[in-house]
Amino acid sequence: PLLSRSEKINFIAGLLGIHHSYSSKEVPIPLRLEYEGKTFTDIFSLVVFNNAGLYANGKRLCPDASPYDGLLDCCCITSETFSRFLEVYKSYFRGQHINQKDVKMIKAPEFKILSAKEVKIQADGEIIGDYRAITVSVRPKALSVIVNPQYARN
C-alpha cells in the first residue's frame, strides 16, 4: 500500500486541521522571513523548521535536513487555497514536494519570522504562544541523543 494505516489516519487528521485553518481564514498569512542577510516575504500556509528530516509522525517535509550540519532546514509552503495545499500535502509524506512551485526550501543557522499580526507558533507539535516576531535558531551539539546504531553517524 502507498500509505500505512497509521499514515492514513495521520493524513486524514492533518487534512481536517488544515481545512479548518483555511476555512477560518487563519491561513494563508503574510509573513517575512529574515535569514543570513536575506529576506523572503510571501503569503504562507505553512512554515516548518527542522533539523532531523521528519515532521509530524513521519512526513518528509525537510528531506535533506541533518542534525549534523549546524543548519535548520525551512520548508515554506505558499499555497493560497486548500485545494492547492492538498496537492502539496499529498506529496510531502515521501519528500516529493520540494520542487513544486509553491514550496521553497531554505537552509540557515537562524531565521527571524515577522508578522503584522500575532500568529500561533508551535514547537514540537505544541502551541507555545502567539507572536508577531520570533527567532528560531539551531545550537549545534547542544543535545546528546541516544540513537539506534543502525541510524548512527560516525
Side-chain angles (χ1 to χ4, degrees):
L2 229 53
L3 297 175
S4 70
R5 185 178 195 292
S6 64
E7 285 177 323
K8 287 176 186 175
I9 291 168
N10 289 332
F11 182 83
I12 292 167
L15 280 180
L16 292 173
I18 294 162
H19 186 267
H20 177 268
S21 293
Y22 273 96
S23 298
S24 64
K25 306 292 187 213
E26 293 177 50
V27 295
I29 186 167
L31 298 173
R32 184 172 79 229
L33 272 65
E34 297 175 353
Y35 60 98
E36 297 186 321
K38 299 173 188 165
T39 300
F40 177 41
T41 302
D42 210 324
I43 311 279
F44 296 90
S45 48
L46 184 66
V47 178
V48 171
F49 301 94
N50 190 304
N51 74 336
L54 298 176
Y55 164 79
N57 296 316
K59 296 175 187 81
R60 307 242 347 125
L61 203 56
C62 297
D64 297 329
S66 168
Y68 306 106
D69 63 7
L71 300 171
L72 285 172
D73 285 47
C74 177
C75 178
C76 305
I77 300 177
T78 58
S79 306
E80 292 192 33
T81 64
F82 176 71
S83 60
R84 179 60 197 140
F85 185 88
L86 183 58
E87 291 302 312
V88 174
Y89 185 74
K90 289 189 298 189
S91 66
Y92 70 64
F93 276 90
R94 304 283 187 246
Q96 299 169 342
H97 61 290
I98 61 174
N99 295 317
Q100 295 193 31
K101 66 180 175 100
D102 42 1
V103 175
K104 181 173 176 113
M105 304 299 294
I106 306 167
K107 285 182 177 272
E110 181 175 286
F111 293 86
K112 186 171 187 178
I113 306 101
L114 303 147
S115 174
K117 66 178 188 174
E118 289 190 343
V119 294
K120 292 187 184 326
I121 303 294
Q122 289 187 28
D124 201 23
E126 301 294 325
I127 294 174
I128 60 171
D130 297 329
Y131 296 89
R132 287 179 187 230
I134 191 167
T135 300
V136 180
S137 62
V138 67
R139 292 179 52 201
K141 300 181 181 178
L143 182 64
S144 295
V145 179
I146 298 171
V147 178
N148 181 323
Q150 174 183 353
Y151 301 106
R153 178 178 166 181
N154 297 331

